[in-house]
Amino acid sequence: MNDVLEQVETLTREALPELVALRHDLHAHPQLGYEETYASALVQRELKAMGVAFESGLAETGVVGWITPDGEAGRRDAIGLRADMDALPIEEQTGLPYASQHPGRMHACGHDGHTTVLLGAARVLQQVRRALPRPVKLVFQPAEEGGGGADRLVKAGVLTDKVGRHHVACMFGLHGWPRLPLGQVATRVGPLLAATDNVFITLSGPGGHAAFPHVTADPVVCAAQLVTALQAVVSRMVSPTRPAVLSITTVHGGDAENVIPDRVALSGTVRTTDGDTRRTVIERADHTAKQVAAAHGCGVEFRLEMGYPVTQNDAAYTRRVMRMAEGLLGEGRAVELPEPVMGGEDFSYYGRHVPACFVFLGMRPAGKGTAADLHTPAFDFNDDAIGAGVELMCRAALDGDAHG
Ligand SMILES: [Zn+2]
Ligand SMILES: [Zn+2]
């Protein structure tokens, strides 16, 4: 085994200059979810050059490759390695030579880095495929940022032999994490990231002259009361030991100083890390909206948009991954997070069907107190994290005792 890991290290080091160039190419050509034709074509071109079999056009732009070892190992269920390819509607302000060439589009979540890491792993694993204990499925998915690309791929059969020839026994994925130092990995057993649901509330009632409020229902005053009342959902209706967020983030109503509008629209997001709390927050928010509206004589419409499920890390598999990461990065460099992060990830859809593990890959340069955060115009994936990402994915694939 050690021989193979040394080989992985050497092959990764040799591949790095080309991988960095690929990452910059991807970074310069960001596209939104389900429109990632550039990344999709680049991935297909690279897999073809490596001699890795693949299927394309899955959930629009998705690509799934597979590497099958000879003999008995090739008949086992596969490990799935996942990368996402989409960018965000943000105007880049990094000033980098390889900055986005597409106005209003930017790889501000580092998915260019994830795609590069998985291409690097594909390249190395293809060269050491004789040592693979099971097949590897390389999942390049579209539309993580709100489009639910993972959900569509799962529905298309990506975890079965309908896509990419092999059934999947377990899934592994990573996300570059600017708050974590380079050379570290962080994750946790159980919920790692939150469920992300959106709520849309419309209050309506007769508007009118601002000087005659008594003949209106004034949805503005009702909205003000409701925003405040909703704060009691998390603070008074959910156990203080359960993580939950309910943020009202948009308020729209009215056009003139002297007119009471007949409608105010609110929207916001709900983040929770278990099903009971998720149900409680949504039910109580709905109830509060109806009761506050009734008290003001307003009509109300409460609409829920269910988002991604909780990203659950399988206990046994995650402990294996932590040991594996420590073996690669050194003692104390695989950090167990004490609590979940309230962001969301559509990697969660894979974990609903097979044991899954998602980890954060450190990207903060040594000596720097902070690095630009995800989803900001100054963010850039740190190229110095590519090598560790590739080796981690390779080690996950070479781990013979994982599930199945
Ligand atoms: Zn993101
Ligand atoms: Zn992301």
Side-chain angles (χ1 to χ4, degrees):
M1 189 69 178
N2 282 343
D3 285 359
V4 188
L5 296 183
E6 269 172 38
Q7 220 183 328
V8 164
E9 191 190 346
T10 309
L11 291 168
T12 303
R13 198 172 347 103
E14 285 169 4
L16 270 180
E18 274 181 51
L19 291 176
V20 168
L22 281 180
R23 214 278 293 173
H24 294 180
D25 188 357
L26 286 165
H27 190 89
H29 300 93
Q31 289 167 307
L32 299 183
Y34 298 121
E35 296 170 2
E36 311 93 328
T37 50
Y38 191 90
S40 182
L42 183 145
V43 165
Q44 293 174 55
R45 185 192 75 206
E46 291 299 316
L47 292 178
K48 204 168 178 184
M50 296 168 201
V52 171
F54 64 87
E55 285 178 45
S56 60
L58 301 156
E60 317 293 338
T61 52
V63 183
V64 173
W66 62 95
I67 302 171
T68 311
D70 295 333
E72 189 57 33
R75 286 188 286 277
R76 295 178 73 193
D77 287 347
I79 177 175
L81 303 176
R82 175 270 204 166
D84 40 14
M85 303 188 290
D86 56 325
L88 285 157
I90 293 178
E91 187 71 37
E92 180 159 352
Q93 289 170 19
T94 60
L96 290 163
Y98 53 87
S100 170
Q101 292 175 15
H102 302 165
R105 303 282 182 266
M106 178 187 174
H107 268 299
C109 202
H111 298 182
D112 50 340
H114 306 163
T115 302
T116 304
V117 163
L118 188 52
L119 280 173
R123 180 163 155 167
V124 173
L125 290 170
Q126 172 73 341
Q127 291 174 84
V128 300
R129 67 183 172 281
R130 276 184 194 84
L132 285 173
R134 61 178 65 248
V136 181
K137 213 150 162 179
L138 309 151
V139 180
F140 296 88
Q141 72 155 79
E144 191 288 320
E145 301 285 0
D151 189 28
R152 279 188 59 182
L153 276 189
V154 168
K155 285 176 178 148
V158 77
L159 299 175
T160 72
D161 60 358
K162 274 207 291 188
V163 174
R165 210 172 121 184
H166 302 284
H167 284 286
V168 170
C170 58
M171 282 296 287
F172 178 70
L174 56 79
H175 204 297
W177 213 246
R179 294 180 184 194
L180 191 71
L182 267 177
Q184 289 191 19
V185 154
T187 189
R188 72 192 301 273
V189 165
L192 175 69
L193 289 150
T196 60
D197 302 316
N198 292 328
V199 292
F200 300 86
I201 305 168
T202 307
L203 298 164
S204 56
H209 199 300
F212 317 139
H214 57 295
V215 297
T216 73
D218 199 347
V220 173
V221 172
C222 181
Q225 295 262 349
L226 178 55
V227 171
T228 309
L230 287 171
Q231 296 315 301
V233 171
V234 169
S235 69
R236 285 297 172 269
M237 300 171 205
V238 170
S239 162
T241 59
R242 300 283 181 99
V245 179
L246 168 53
S247 294
I248 296 298
T249 51
T250 73
V251 180
H252 291 288
D255 295 303
E257 290 69 32
N258 57 359
V259 179
I260 291 171
D262 58 6
R263 184 175 179 281
V264 174
L266 310 173
S267 69
T269 188
V270 175
R271 304 292 169 105
T272 50
T273 62
D274 68 276
D276 282 349
T277 308
R278 190 181 194 183
R279 269 186 300 281
T280 302
V281 172
I282 290 163
E283 276 169 24
R284 299 306 296 185
D286 184 12
H287 181 75
T288 301
K290 285 182 177 132
Q291 297 303 316
V292 171
H296 285 259
C298 283
V300 61
E301 190 196 298
F302 184 94
R303 189 166 64 81
L304 170 73
E305 221 176 64
M306 295 282 275
Y308 298 162
V310 177
T311 305
Q312 284 281 354
N313 273 342
D314 178 77
Y317 186 37
T318 300
R319 289 197 188 99
R320 286 197 70 82
V321 169
M322 292 289 276
R323 279 198 294 278
M324 208 184 304
E326 199 163 62
L328 171 69
L329 302 166
E331 214 184 305
R333 290 173 176 272
V335 181
E336 178 142 22
L337 295 170
E339 51 202 28
V341 173
M342 299 309 275
E345 245 293 339
D346 78 346
F347 184 81
S348 49
Y349 286 103
Y350 305 114
R352 281 181 148 185
H353 303 276
V354 296
C357 178
F358 195 65
V359 304
F360 300 142
L361 176 70
M363 294 202 304
R364 197 180 81 214
K368 254 191 143 181
T370 54
D373 220 339
L374 299 170
H375 291 211
T376 66
F379 175 81
D380 187 35
F381 189 93
N382 190 337
D383 288 328
D384 293 339
I386 292 175
V390 171
E391 284 199 65
L392 199 60
M393 288 225 155
C394 290
R395 284 185 182 225
L398 287 161
D399 178 19
D401 296 323
H403 295 77

